[in-house]
Amino acid sequence: MAFLMKSMISNQVKNLGFGGGSEENKEEGGTSDPAAAHGMTREEYEEYQKQMIEEKMERDAAFTQKKAERACLRVHLREKYRLPKRRRICVPPQCCR
């Protein structure tokens, strides 16, 4: 019942044109322009997006290189010490003595 009363009163206030309804509509619906949502102009937002994409590509490239270096080191150590690809885990403690 309280919800019904509140919605009826708020609708009447919106219709009076005091400006309260337009702000609520913007907040509820959100803005369709992502640049306005971030408080930037369209050009600034596009530049920001390009910068973010470039930084992500740099991070991905660095990660890929580190991953390849680790794999190379792993292969080198396996060959040097003749280690198996996977470590064998002994379940019963008697077999490891």
Side-chain angles (χ1 to χ4, degrees), residues 73-88:
L73 181 64
R74 230 180 1 257
V75 169
H76 175 71
L77 292 174
R78 277 192 198 122
E79 289 175 357
K80 181 177 180 181
Y81 295 109
R82 297 183 181 147
L83 299 173
K85 286 190 176 184
R86 293 193 177 227
R87 187 174 166 194
R88 294 183 186 147

Side-chain angles (χ1 to χ4, degrees), residues 84-97:
K85 286 190 176 184
R86 293 193 177 227
R87 187 174 166 194
R88 294 183 186 147
I89 299 174
C90 300
V91 177
Q94 294 85 13
C95 70
C96 297
R97 290 184 186 178

Side-chain angles (χ1 to χ4, degrees), residues 3-71:
F3 173 76
L4 182 61
M5 291 297 291
K6 182 179 177 184
S7 65
M8 285 176 34
I9 292 171
S10 65
N11 286 337
Q12 290 175 355
V13 171
K14 288 178 189 177
N15 292 337
L16 290 176
F18 289 118
S22 63
E23 292 175 2
E24 290 178 7
N25 286 339
K26 287 181 182 177
E27 291 176 0
E28 289 175 2
T31 57
S32 60
D33 187 20
H38 290 287
M40 301 180 205
T41 63
R42 184 122 180 116
E43 293 80 20
E44 289 175 339
Y45 185 72
E46 289 175 359
E47 184 65 31
Y48 171 75
Q49 288 295 328
K50 287 179 186 177
Q51 183 180 5
M52 295 301 291
I53 291 171
E54 288 173 2
E55 289 176 2
K56 184 182 183 309
M57 290 173 61
E58 289 173 3
R59 285 193 309 268
D60 289 346
F63 175 75
T64 304
Q65 182 173 354
K66 283 183 182 180
K67 191 174 177 182
E69 288 172 356
R70 287 188 208 119

